Amino acid sequence: MKIYAGNLPYSVTSEALAKMFEEHGAVEDAQVITDRETGRSKGFGFIDMPDNAEADQAIKAFNGTQLNGRQITVNQARPRRDRFRR
């Protein structure tokens, strides 16, 4: 399952995000999205967890919790919108 994590502190790295979610199960990939030009975090990221039950458990555990003073949003990622559709 692909998980969305939003309102992340800008200091959070992809490695820290993976380690956080590994508390609830296997993590295939974790990526904090960064600005192409500056390399600065955009404050959100995605986590891939192969086991849906573990992913659901992680979502319930982290959604609405505080991380470095920010209340994070964690839920199942929605399909990407087509940016160029008119």
Side-chain angles (χ1 to χ4, degrees):
M1 176 187 298
K2 189 173 211 72
I3 299 170
Y4 165 83
N7 201 34
L8 297 173
Y10 296 119
S11 60
V12 172
T13 63
S14 295
E15 294 79 18
L17 193 61
K19 188 173 182 114
M20 187 171 113
F21 277 79
E22 283 171 351
E23 294 175 16
H24 294 279
V27 172
E28 286 181 344
D29 186 43
Q31 186 174 13
V32 172
I33 306 303
T34 56
D35 183 272
R36 288 183 204 169
E37 293 179 19
T38 65
R40 182 173 179 237
S41 167
K42 289 190 172 187
F44 68 96
F46 296 95
I47 305 93
D48 287 317
M49 296 183 76
D51 185 303
N52 286 350
E54 291 175 349
D56 284 334
Q57 181 183 8
I59 290 168
K60 288 177 186 158
F62 292 123
N63 188 39
T65 61
Q66 294 285 323
L67 181 62
N68 296 346
R70 297 185 76 158
Q71 184 175 350
I72 62 172
T73 300
V74 180
N75 54 41
Q76 185 173 356
R78 293 188 286 264
R80 187 174 178 168
R81 288 182 280 155
D82 186 356
R83 293 182 185 181
F84 303 106
R85 217 160 109 197
R86 294 178 197 242

